[in-house]
């Protein structure tokens, strides 16, 4: 079993829909990251969080340390949100351990 | 520059040759990471540098892989006697300190023929 599991692996939504991507982890962590990777593009850090909730524009990230679970929400989704979203954790060391990613497509 | 830069952006080499990949982190960032993203697979950690401490090499897949960071800034990842399974995108990231937001470079796409 991978240390970081994401669901769903693939997600198709209509423009305007509310989107949730889930991440579960099985190890103790010091922080959790949500990353975005556009096709053929680089990786951008969206959030780093160790407790509670963070919001940036239409993106919201939450984490429940007791349940070892985090969610990334996208409100009023737009085609430009189409990308791979990756959950990663800082666990034993300072490096990141990654989930398998969620491929999101938002259709106009 | 303002971000992490990597060179070359693409590298094609023949099996058995050595390759060097370069990373220029954001100025002042003490932490530098190398990751690999293989086709159809997720991202995996390779090596981590923090300041003047000994690097964490726990992610290197074999002794053909090595990396150094000179003067606490530029880093070079070297792969000796490349194999076809080394084909991947090699990503560098830096952060201002440990356990902080990581800023990723554009990656080097390596193809071993």
């Amino acid at each position: 079993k991978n240390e970081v599991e994401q669901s769903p692996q693939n997600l198709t939504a209509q423009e305007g829909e509310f989107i949730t991507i889930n991440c579960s982890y099985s190890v103790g962590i010091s922080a959790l990251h949500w990353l975005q990777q556009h096709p053929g593009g680089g990786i951008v850090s969206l959030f780093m969080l160790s407790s509670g909730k963070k919001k940036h524009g239409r993106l919201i990230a939450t984490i429940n340390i007791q349940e070892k679970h985090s969610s990334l929400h996208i409100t009023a989704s737009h085609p430009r949100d189409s990308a791979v979203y990756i959950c990663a954790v800082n666990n034993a060391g300072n490096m990141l351990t990654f989930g398998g990613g969620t491929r999101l497509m938002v259709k106009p | 520059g303002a971000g992490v830069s990597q060179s070359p952006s693409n590298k094609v080499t023949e099996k058995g040759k050595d390759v060097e990949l370069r990373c220029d982190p954001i100025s002042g960032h003490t932490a530098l990471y190398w990751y690999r993203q293989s086709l159809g697979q997720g991202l995996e950690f390779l090596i981590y540098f923090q300041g003047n401490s000994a690097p964490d090499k726990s992610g290197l897949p074999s002794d053909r892989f090595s990396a150094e960071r000179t003067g606490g800034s530029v880093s070079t990842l070297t792969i000796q006697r490349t194999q076809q399974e080394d084909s991947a995108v090699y990503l560098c990231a830096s952060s201002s300190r440990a356990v902080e937001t990581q800023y990723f470079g554009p990656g080097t796409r390596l193809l071993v023929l």
Side-chain angles (χ1 to χ4, degrees):
Chain A
K1 187 180 188 294
N2 293 333
E3 292 181 338
V4 183
E5 297 275 1
Q6 285 185 240
S7 63
Q9 287 186 303
N10 294 281
L11 180 59
T12 301
Q14 288 297 131
E15 183 174 357
E17 286 184 356
F18 179 84
I19 289 165
T20 296
I21 299 171
N22 295 298
C23 176
S24 296
Y25 52 91
S26 57
V27 294
I29 69 169
S30 51
L32 182 142
H33 304 249
W34 282 101
L35 311 171
Q36 181 191 57
Q37 185 173 33
H38 281 282
I43 294 174
V44 174
S45 178
L46 298 175
F47 295 103
M48 187 188 81
L49 64 166
S50 54
S51 65
K53 175 180 173 178
K54 287 190 176 180
K55 185 175 187 293
H56 184 254
R58 295 180 294 106
L59 302 178
I60 303 166
T62 63
I63 188 168
N64 185 318
I65 297 295
Q66 287 73 31
E67 294 186 3
K68 295 187 175 179
H69 181 269
S70 174
S71 293
L72 176 68
H73 304 287
I74 306 175
T75 62
S77 59
H78 190 276
R80 64 175 174 267
D81 296 327
S82 298
V84 176
Y85 292 84
I86 303 167
C87 172
V89 300
N90 293 103
N91 51 343
N94 296 316
M95 74 294 289
L96 295 177
T97 300
F98 300 88
T102 295
R103 188 174 300 275
L104 171 66
M105 177 178 291
V106 181
K107 294 184 175 180
Chain B
V4 178
S5 60
Q6 292 186 244
S7 61
S9 54
N10 291 280
K11 176 72 177 178
V12 180
T13 190
E14 293 179 347
K15 178 181 172 182
K17 300 282 190 182
D18 297 352
V19 295
E20 283 190 353
L21 312 179
R22 177 187 168 105
C23 171
D24 281 272
I26 292 174
S27 178
H29 279 192
T30 60
L32 186 148
Y33 311 79
W34 282 99
Y35 300 101
R36 178 169 74 172
Q37 188 171 36
S38 303
L39 185 64
Q41 298 186 24
L43 284 147
E44 59 176 332
F45 162 74
L46 297 177
I47 188 168
Y48 159 59
F49 296 88
Q50 172 60 52
N52 296 320
S53 302
D56 181 337
K57 304 178 182 180
S58 60
L60 294 179
S62 77
D63 59 8
R64 296 186 296 104
F65 288 72
S66 63
E68 61 178 22
R69 188 179 185 191
T70 53
S73 181
V74 172
S75 178
T76 302
L77 177 69
T78 301
I79 309 173
Q80 295 178 307
R81 305 181 302 281
T82 52
Q83 303 295 312
Q84 289 181 332
E85 61 263 28
D86 299 334
S87 297
V89 177
Y90 289 82
L91 291 153
C92 175
S94 71
S95 62
S96 58
R97 59 180 188 272
V99 192
E100 189 46 84
T101 297
Q102 295 187 20
Y103 296 86
F104 286 79
T108 293
R109 189 174 301 272
L110 174 67
L111 178 61
V112 182
L113 300 176

